[in-house]
């Protein structure tokens, strides 16, 4: 007779078999140069050391270069990483805000994280979902549960999601495909999800092609740490132990035609200066091979997680002051890219870093599996990957942004009419995307105010819209009539009108 133990052994065996086939060695080697990847640890350490005591004029020249929306070279970024003079830091912070304005104007994009499964074969030292964490309650949503979660998110006013999965055969590319379909199919009245981005384990080119056909938005894979030795230490086992399979995930995405890719480093694993250089080298490697840099860069800081002692032990925790420097240096180093701050950070920090060039943020976030439709206790760590720092609702966030003069954009038009990848990069670099986006931002903001906002947000938001309309009349006389017509049609109940 079969025992429970036999069943478990059988399951473990089939997981092992699955794991053995995930990595495709030739989808790593084809990208190497002379057998080497693009992160040369010693060279990066040397460049950081060489940048010590940067010359004032040199810093001013670097700031001017960034303001002309040119990506920096590693030696230039290394100089910024070493800067101590407070007055020059003030100039850098101001320049970061100015670059954001030139490329993205006063828009901020919002989204919600949507965790579908926390089964995982990996053992990342910092993550509550790691395989060996027996205190974590494991769950994978069924497609019906995914539809219910989507309904809850759409009813809050969300149009964009980042859908997140652990790495496991039960949440493989086929499950990701089925969950994306379920998300896109779900409608509630006027509302629907118009863009589902994915944060999931590295996949093969074939799998990414399949997901691209279903409508995968941006594909995010964070390298966590670019430092080879640290990487091996914090990823002791599982598929994620392979540094290069992960490092080239975004290259494979480009080769699969999913050309909006999001990179990131998890700050707190190794020296933050090294990680900023790693992100820059990663952006350069993508630019060099595909002519397209990252669509977004994320810079999460380590947060506490259930039964995860590593977080209290790391000596590389990033202070709030250094965190602000990281954001400003990334803004200057890769001026065309979107920068994402998440609800890992407190409301106070999120408010403080918004003027440093952040372009996207999440809102009303819950990161437990099934936690948008279930009874939910936000501080229940064993159900989630880590503990959030800011759980304000979408409407509260939008109100705060509007008070600060930022318009919340739910626009996804660019993606749906082919302004992705290289096309969007060129538009961003020459400042044209700013105008498409302004029009669509106002239209989608108007939809939100009519359908979801509370009275106070509606009032503050409408005042902001009036200012935007005046600017559009002045700057875009050719489209002002069509724009006014679209606004009127939205007021009468039509939705999803865009340029
Ligand atoms: N399993 C997929 C993977 O590892 O690529 C999905 C990623 S995970 C669910 C999303 C991201 O959360 C990770 O890439 C990591 O950067 C971040 N993360 C993990 N543990 C964290 C923690 N304790 N605090 C903050 N961020 C964390
Ligand atoms: Fe799994 Fe991703 Fe968490 Fe690592 S970070 S344990 S791969 S869910």
């Amino acid at each position: 007779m079969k025992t429970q133990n036999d069943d478990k052994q059988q399951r473990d065996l089939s997981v092992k078999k699955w794991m053995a086939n995930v990595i495709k060695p030739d989808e790593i080697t084809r990208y190497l140069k002379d057998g080497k990847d693009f992160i040369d640890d010693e060279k990066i350490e040397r460049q950081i050391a060489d940048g010590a005591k940067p010359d004032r004029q040199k810093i001013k020249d670097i700031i001017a270069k960034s303001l002309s929306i040119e990506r920096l070279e590693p030696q230039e970024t290394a100089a910024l990483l070493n800067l101590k003079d407070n007055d020059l830091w003030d100039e850098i912070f101001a320049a970061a805000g100015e670059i954001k304005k030139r490329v993205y104007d006063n828009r901020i994009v919002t989204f919600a994280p949507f965790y579908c499964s926390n089964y995982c074969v990996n053992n990342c030292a910092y993550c509550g979902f790691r395989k060996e964490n027996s205190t974590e309650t494991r769950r994978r949503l069924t497609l019906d549960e995914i539809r219910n979660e989507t309904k809850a998110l759409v009813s809050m006013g969300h149009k964009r999601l980042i859908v997140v999965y652990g790495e496991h055969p039960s949440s493989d590319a086929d499950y990701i495909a089925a969950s994306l379909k379920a998300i896109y199919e779900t409608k509630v009245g006027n509302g629907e999800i118009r863009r589902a981005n994915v944060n999931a384990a590295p996949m093969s080119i074939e799998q990414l092609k399949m997901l691209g056909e279903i409508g995968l938005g941006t594909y995010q894979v964070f390298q966590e740490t670019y430092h080879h030795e640290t990487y091996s230490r914090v990823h002791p086992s599982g598929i994620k132990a392979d540094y290069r399979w992960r490092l080239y995930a975004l290259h494979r995405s480009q080769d699969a035609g999913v050309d909006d890719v999001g990179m990131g480093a998890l700050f707190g694993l190794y020296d933050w200066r090294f990680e900023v250089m790693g992100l820059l080298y990663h952006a350069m490697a993508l630019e060099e091979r595909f002519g397209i840099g990252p669509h977004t860069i994320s810079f999460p800081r380590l947060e506490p997680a259930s039964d995860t002692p590593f977080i209290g032990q790391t000596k590389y925790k990033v202070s709030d002051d250094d965190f602000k420097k990281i954001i400003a240096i990334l803004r200057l180093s890769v001026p065309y890219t979107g920068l994402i701050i998440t609800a890992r950070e407190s409301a106070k920090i999120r408010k403080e870093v918004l003027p440093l060039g952040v372009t996207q943020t999440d809102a009303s976030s819950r990161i437990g599996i099934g936690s948008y439709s279930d009874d939910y206790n936000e501080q229940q760590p064993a159900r989630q990957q880590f503990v959030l720092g800011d759980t304000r609702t979408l409407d509260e966030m939008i109100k705060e942004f509007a008070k600060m003069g930022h318009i919340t954009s739910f626009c996804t038009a660019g993606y749906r009419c082919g302004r992705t990848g290289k096309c969007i990069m060129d538009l961003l670099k020459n400042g044209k995307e700013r105008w498409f986006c302004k029009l669509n931002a106002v239209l989608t903001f108007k939809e939100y105010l009519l359908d979801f906002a509370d009275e106070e947000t509606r009032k503050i938001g409408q005042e902001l819209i009036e200012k935007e309309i005046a600017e559009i009349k002045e700057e875009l006389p050719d489209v002002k009539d069509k724009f006014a017509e679209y606004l009127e049609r939205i007021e009468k109940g039509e939705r999803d009108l865009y340029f």
Side-chain angles (χ1 to χ4, degrees):
M1 205 179 73
K2 255 183 23 172
T3 65
Q4 269 190 343
N5 217 7
D6 293 337
D7 280 347
K8 185 174 175 314
Q9 271 181 0
Q10 195 60 38
R11 270 200 311 273
D12 288 351
L13 246 169
S14 73
V15 170
K16 270 202 183 132
K17 218 163 135 192
W18 177 83
M19 284 171 70
N21 288 309
V22 170
I23 296 177
K24 314 270 175 251
D26 69 307
E27 294 191 14
I28 299 173
T29 47
R30 69 177 66 181
Y31 302 118
L32 299 176
K33 282 190 186 160
D34 301 326
K36 292 190 179 137
D37 62 58
F38 56 81
I39 297 293
D40 179 339
D41 297 47
E42 277 176 25
K43 184 169 161 193
I44 290 179
E45 304 277 16
R46 211 170 40 245
Q47 282 173 330
I48 296 173
D50 288 350
K53 302 214 185 98
D55 173 74
R56 284 181 72 84
Q57 188 52 46
K58 187 172 164 195
I59 296 290
K60 285 184 182 275
D61 293 345
I62 294 170
I63 296 174
K65 181 176 176 186
S66 297
L67 282 167
S68 64
I69 319 302
E70 252 190 88
R71 182 190 42 72
L72 298 183
E73 293 302 321
Q75 291 84 346
E76 293 165 330
T77 295
L80 298 181
L81 290 168
N82 278 295
L83 185 67
K84 300 271 183 308
D85 308 59
N86 283 338
D87 60 324
L88 281 177
W89 267 112
D90 288 343
E91 276 186 44
I92 290 176
F93 291 140
E98 180 56 29
I99 291 165
K100 175 188 168 213
K101 192 157 186 288
R102 286 187 192 176
V103 180
Y104 291 92
D105 208 351
N106 60 340
R107 282 172 298 114
I108 180 106
V109 164
T110 55
F111 61 92
F114 180 177
Y115 279 66
C116 284
S117 169
N118 61 358
Y119 284 95
C120 196
V121 298
N122 297 317
N123 258 318
C124 311
Y126 46 81
C127 179
F129 291 172
R130 71 189 184 286
K131 182 181 168 206
E132 280 170 11
N133 186 359
S134 56
T135 62
E136 188 77 20
T137 314
R138 304 285 165 175
R139 182 169 169 198
R140 184 195 79 149
L141 296 180
T142 64
L143 294 183
D144 273 343
E145 286 170 332
I146 287 177
R147 289 185 194 101
N148 283 339
E149 289 280 281
T150 309
K151 278 185 195 154
L153 285 158
V154 169
S155 305
M156 294 174 198
H158 281 292
K159 297 279 186 286
R160 286 171 180 255
L161 301 177
I162 178 80
V163 197
V164 186
Y165 310 81
E167 182 160 29
H168 195 268
S170 65
S171 56
D172 62 1
D174 290 335
Y175 173 77
I176 296 176
S179 50
L180 290 183
K181 276 191 197 153
I183 288 167
Y184 282 130
E185 276 163 17
T186 305
K187 315 266 173 216
V188 188
N190 275 334
E192 69 205 330
I193 295 301
R194 296 183 187 157
R195 179 160 170 107
N197 301 329
V198 163
N199 185 317
M203 283 180 265
S204 68
I205 295 173
E206 194 190 337
Q207 289 169 328
L208 286 161
K209 269 189 190 152
M210 185 262 291
L211 293 179
E213 278 159 24
I214 288 166
L216 160 63
T218 305
Y219 177 47
Q220 274 188 354
V221 178
F222 303 161
Q223 186 62 21
E224 320 296 13
T225 172
Y226 286 91
H227 188 249
H228 285 82
E229 195 265 317
T230 305
Y231 187 95
S232 299
R233 197 158 33 78
V234 298
H235 303 113
S237 62
I239 300 166
K240 201 159 164 180
D242 192 315
Y243 178 100
R244 287 177 172 174
W245 177 242
R246 196 164 183 89
L247 191 66
Y248 290 107
L250 304 183
H251 282 59
R252 293 194 293 279
S253 185
Q254 292 292 352
D255 272 330
V258 177
D259 55 5
D260 282 342
V261 296
M263 59 177 60
L266 181 55
F267 283 88
L269 301 178
Y270 188 59
D271 181 3
W272 62 268
R273 293 173 184 83
F274 189 99
E275 307 298 11
V276 170
M277 294 291 278
L279 288 165
L280 178 63
Y281 272 106
H282 199 167
M284 286 164 52
L286 289 170
E287 277 182 15
E288 187 186 309
R289 188 162 179 121
F290 302 101
I292 314 174
H295 189 66
T296 54
I297 298 182
S298 299
F299 30 86
R301 279 194 288 186
L302 270 183
E303 295 297 329
S306 115
D307 210 26
T308 304
F310 171 85
I311 290 160
Q313 293 158 2
T314 176
K315 59 176 184 187
Y316 295 108
K317 278 230 155 148
V318 172
S319 69
D320 290 351
D321 281 349
D322 287 343
F323 189 57
K324 288 174 197 161
K325 290 180 181 168
I326 290 171
I327 299 174
I329 295 174
L330 286 172
R331 179 72 294 154
L332 263 65
S333 299
V334 198
Y336 57 78
T337 201
L339 293 183
I340 303 182
I341 183 114
T342 68
R344 290 175 180 85
E345 300 297 337
S346 66
K348 179 173 172 287
I349 288 288
R350 292 221 275 184
K351 191 171 181 185
E352 284 172 15
V353 302
L354 194 66
L356 301 182
V358 167
T359 61
Q360 296 197 23
T361 188
D362 53 339
S364 55
S365 300
R366 294 179 175 187
I367 57 170
I369 313 292
S371 55
Y372 290 105
S373 37
D374 285 359
D375 273 347
Y376 178 64
N377 171 359
E378 69 200 29
Q379 296 307 335
Q380 204 178 350
R383 278 190 56 178
Q384 51 193 42
Q385 193 190 12
F386 47 82
V387 180
L388 291 175
D390 183 5
T391 50
R392 281 175 300 164
T393 64
L394 180 60
D395 203 59
E396 284 172 297
M397 305 257 329
I398 289 179
K399 198 177 300 173
E400 178 173 288
F401 295 148
K403 283 181 186 164
M404 293 169 78
H406 293 275
I407 192 154
T408 303
S409 174
F410 293 90
C411 169
T412 51
Y415 311 114
R416 287 180 292 157
C417 47
R419 295 200 297 274
T420 64
K422 174 130 177 61
C423 169
I424 189 127
M425 281 298 151
D426 291 344
L427 288 168
L428 287 170
K429 284 177 189 167
N430 65 26
K432 287 199 178 131
E433 180 66 6
R434 178 179 159 187
W435 290 111
F436 276 115
C437 289
K438 189 181 244 337
L439 298 167
N440 292 325
V442 176
L443 296 176
T444 54
F445 190 49
K446 180 79 188 174
E447 286 185 7
Y448 175 84
L449 294 181
L450 290 170
D451 293 341
F452 301 102
D454 75 11
E455 213 175 302
E456 193 191 351
T457 308
R458 198 170 296 159
K459 185 168 167 293
I460 299 168
Q462 189 53 39
E463 284 163 15
L464 190 56
I465 287 188
E466 300 300 332
K467 274 197 215 151
E468 299 291 316
I469 293 174
E471 202 179 318
I472 287 165
K473 275 190 186 149
E474 180 94 349
E475 299 282 346
L476 301 171
D478 295 351
V479 294
K480 73 174 182 356
D481 292 339
K482 185 154 188 206
F483 179 70
E485 180 208 313
Y486 276 10
L487 267 181
E488 208 180 307
R489 282 166 60 188
I490 288 172
E491 266 168 22
K492 288 188 179 143
E494 268 187 77
R495 292 291 174 267
D496 207 12
L497 301 173
Y498 56 83
F499 284 86

